[in-house]
Amino acid sequence: MSSNAVSLEKNPPVKLPNEPTITPQIVAEHGLSPEEYQRVLAIMGRTPTMVELGIFSAMWSEHCSYKSSKVWLKKLPTKAPWVIQGPGENAGVIDIGDGQAAIFKMESHNHPSYIEPYQGAATGVGGILRDVFTMGARPVANLNALRFGDPAHPKTRHLVSGVVAGIGGYGNCMGIPTVGGETNFHAAYNGNILVNAMTVGIAPTARIFYAAAAGVGNPLVYVGSKTGRDGIHGATMASTEFSEDSEEKRPTVQVGDPFVEKLLLEACLELMATDVIVAIQDMGAAGLTSSSFEMAAKGGLGVIVELDKVPMRETGMNPYELMLSESQERMLIVLKPGTEEQARKIFEKWELDFAVIGHLTDTERMVLSWHGDIVGNIPIPPLVTEAPVYERPWTLTPLPAVLEAAEAPAPKDWRASLLALMSCPDLASKAWIWHQYDHLIMGNTAIRPQDGDAALVRVNGGHKGLAMTSDCTPRYVQAHPETGGRQAVAEAWRNITAVGAKPLAVTDNMNFGNPQKPEIMGQFAGAIMGMAEACKVLDFPVVSGNVSLYNETEGRPILPTPTIGAVGVIEDIGKSVGSRLTQAGLGIVLIGETTGWLGQSLYLREACGREEGAPPPVDLLVERRNGDFVRSQIAIGRVEACHDLSDGGLIVALAEMAIAGGTGMEIGQPAGNAVPSHAFFYGEDQGRYVIASGSADDVIEAAQAAGVPAVLLGYSGGASLVVKGLLSLPLSDIKAAHEAWLPGYMSATE
């Protein structure tokens, strides 16, 4: 930094040539309300420059500041003995034993993916990967949760194609397997799809890197790709509703290059093996603005950034564009003084840009220089302490009336009803999607997509495995957010349990509509209440996450979708189980109580054309009791296959197990069970599992001793799914129906 710039540090910034005068319209275009702009004026004591206004706009956007959600997020439990780092860093960190940590997070790229599906989804994957490896972890797996509109909507096929190609294109090029996720379709997502991306990485517990800057005078270093004009206003765009002109926002979508990101990953990990890094931060939403600001704020320091030293890939760029660009594959690092050349050699070896663009100060101010002139000078603490926090009005969604089983008609044709459910968009095989992802690269994927309730990845080639899943049932959340939030956490916990792993922690992605509407804010509040309760009872803390609001188009909100990503551990991967039924002669045991709950069920929607009633209640103590029991039986080797019961109920779970493993079964409704048959088999009661066991009598005896409901339904064998008195259906017919819909839909012409 020149001595001239240092002497000017306390002076007001200069106005650049052609810089417009700030008007109420320009303030509004930056997403700031008149009241928020008055707060800016009070902090600055003068009218801000355009670059300063842009910085306030980005840092106070919903996407970066959580101004509508912060008061509610504080209600989530975030601590446990195994939690090393909870919310507030790039990603969450948990101790998985043996000196190792799992680092993971989920984030949304909803609006960009609707506007430009390939790049929107690809850069969503790139961003979440950087969040994980910036903390010192080598990513070992990706997951995603996708929600698309009605298959009949004219844009849906195009969006599915682009998003899936973008996820596969980025993850495959990075050499990181995409091992799990979920895909749903509903008309509520017609104008606003959801693309939630999750990454899990592994790091030594002794070498985890954080973002808090330290050391006055330490150099601030920019590494990675050059900065262009893509993604400017990305954070602001992600904090507004869509309208008819949303296509015009295409320039706000970032453009990714996974090959550069792979180089950046390897260069960062190589640098992390040295002892030169003080702090490191991904340049994600709001780019250089958020990364430099967050590092300085967390360290209680100031920063001088010499913007003319930022590597640029376009000519004529100005400070405003440089600070707000969301060009991908970039990181910001604080180095120990005197280590610049050591670090430079590493990044130049990997053919990446490396530039010292500033240094830390003790002023607690963000000072921006441009060819020796000060063009921005903002006090850092007030951007945090004076940032807007809203306790928005909210109205809770009342619990709908319970739908009795008798109110939903039984199927006239059981065969047709099961085939219809197995081939409906939500339940149909998603192999067309995951076959485009490399789910086996790195050679550590132990349970693949559709082979188990959770993916399982071997840790560093050893015996230990990490189980991971993403879950949410938006129709439950829409009907009653508190129950739906509770159920999303419980199902993630069940899915990890069903492979034999111990659930450890959660990352969440809170996708909701406009929080300024009391009913939408009430959905958010209710979901948080349910999630918080479930996380406490199940000992399942939230360690990271993301909030995505304003998911609306012309006033029409999405279904409230609090996606839960979860991670668990199993000490010996050889004791894990999948959901495939591959052996004859096994007892088929139903764990948990069945009341025949049909409210908000897929049977009700797909077979009866109705979306109504209360969602199934979630008794968290029962969830814990039943899940702990199932895990104990898996651990002692009594379970050959296990599947939790969720969408479609018991008969769908049985059909999925049978066609996945190529082995049929003959089962029946237990004698003396008074639940109507269609409710028994299609009901979506929670806290239930199906176990295939060679020692079913021992399982049932142990269940009785543990106070867990368990009943023998029948035995595996043959090439058909046989339900005594109701159904006999060849597995080949079920498999054909299950696998045909998505490839047929994607290959159809408009």
Side-chain angles (χ1 to χ4, degrees), residues 53 168 263 378 420 503 529:
L53 181 69
L263 299 176
I378 302 175
M529 291 176 192

Side-chain angles (χ1 to χ4, degrees), residues 282-292 322-327 330:
D282 157 45
M283 286 194 223
L288 188 53
T289 286
S290 64
S291 54
S292 57
L322 290 167
M323 287 301 290
L324 294 175
S325 167
E326 294 185 10
S327 293
R330 303 179 302 158

Side-chain angles (χ1 to χ4, degrees), residues 146-453:
L146 311 177
R147 319 283 171 182
F148 296 105
D150 185 339
H153 190 273
K155 286 199 71 168
T156 300
R157 189 181 286 106
H158 160 72
L159 292 167
V160 173
S161 176
V163 165
V164 171
I167 291 170
Y170 209 100
N172 295 353
C173 290
M174 285 290 293
I176 296 163
T178 300
V179 298
E182 54 182 345
T183 305
N184 296 135
F185 296 83
H186 193 282
Y189 303 105
N190 280 350
N192 196 130
I193 63 173
L194 302 184
V195 175
N196 296 169
M198 177 175 168
T199 293
V200 181
I202 302 290
T205 53
R207 294 196 68 78
I208 294 166
F209 292 82
Y210 298 95
V216 172
N218 281 353
L220 187 69
V221 175
Y222 171 117
V223 299
S225 286
K226 289 179 167 60
T227 296
R229 290 188 170 96
D230 54 322
I232 294 171
H233 288 312
T236 309
M237 180 268 289
S239 307
T240 56
E241 287 185 38
F242 273 174
S243 60
E244 285 183 345
D245 65 354
S246 291
E247 294 292 336
E248 297 172 13
K249 294 180 178 176
R250 195 178 298 269
T252 64
V253 178
Q254 309 92 328
V255 178
D257 184 338
F259 297 105
V260 173
E261 178 123 338
K262 174 64 173 170
L263 299 176
L264 184 61
L265 164 65
E266 298 301 340
C268 286
L269 292 179
E270 185 174 337
L271 187 68
M272 287 165 171
T274 69
D275 191 31
V276 305
I277 296 175
V278 175
I280 183 166
Q281 173 74 40
D282 157 45
M283 286 194 223
L288 188 53
T289 286
S290 64
S291 54
S292 57
F293 169 81
E294 287 173 8
M295 292 176 87
K298 287 176 180 175
L301 294 173
V303 61
I304 292 177
V305 182
E306 299 174 74
L307 290 170
D308 49 290
K309 294 185 177 176
V310 171
M312 300 171 226
R313 70 164 182 256
E314 299 184 45
T315 57
M317 292 190 73
N318 61 44
Y320 181 94
E321 294 168 328
L322 290 167
M323 287 301 290
L324 294 175
S325 167
E326 294 185 10
S327 293
Q328 297 292 285
E329 294 90 38
R330 303 179 302 158
M331 308 283 269
L332 201 59
I333 305 174
V334 175
L335 291 175
K336 292 181 179 177
T339 65
E340 294 92 331
E341 288 311 306
Q342 181 184 355
R344 183 189 301 276
K345 286 177 182 175
I346 291 173
F347 284 91
E348 288 181 349
K349 181 184 84 171
W350 291 100
E351 300 180 345
L352 295 165
D353 276 283
F354 178 101
V356 178
I357 64 165
H359 65 269
L360 303 179
T361 70
D362 61 1
T363 64
E364 291 193 277
R365 299 186 75 86
M366 174 184 280
V367 178
L368 310 176
S369 78
W370 180 244
H371 298 289
D373 291 324
I374 300 300
V375 295
N377 193 340
I378 302 175
I380 291 172
L383 247 75
V384 178
T385 59
E386 300 300 314
V389 176
Y390 296 119
E391 295 193 37
R392 298 197 185 276
W394 52 282
T395 54
L396 283 179
T397 305
L399 185 67
V402 173
L403 181 88
E404 300 297 335
E407 297 178 61
K412 294 186 174 67
D413 182 336
W414 277 82
R415 174 190 175 100
S417 73
L418 179 57
L419 292 177
L421 238 69
M422 292 296 290
S423 62
C424 77
D426 277 2
L427 289 179
S429 168
K430 303 305 185 299
W432 181 91
I433 293 175
W434 58 261
H435 280 155
Q436 296 183 55
Y437 307 150
D438 192 331
H439 50 278
L440 297 175
I441 198 164
M442 298 174 79
N444 286 320
T445 306
I447 294 183
R448 306 186 296 173
Q450 291 190 302
D451 282 355
D453 287 9

Side-chain angles (χ1 to χ4, degrees), residues 641-727:
C642 181
H643 198 2
D644 92 306
L645 270 57
S646 54
D647 285 348
L650 172 61
I651 197 166
V652 164
L654 296 173
E656 288 173 342
M657 294 175 78
I659 62 174
T663 303
M665 66 184 78
E666 182 172 332
I667 57 109
Q669 188 168 345
N673 186 288
V675 176
S677 293
H678 69 296
F680 182 82
F681 285 105
Y682 284 120
E684 296 182 5
D685 298 271
Q686 299 296 294
R688 298 186 300 160
Y689 304 77
V690 168
I691 281 175
S693 174
S695 49
D697 290 345
D698 292 336
V699 170
I700 291 171
E701 184 179 339
Q704 288 172 343
V708 172
V711 63
L712 182 68
L713 299 175
Y715 291 90
S716 64
S720 296
L721 174 60
V722 178
V723 182
K724 294 174 189 174
L726 296 176
L727 174 73

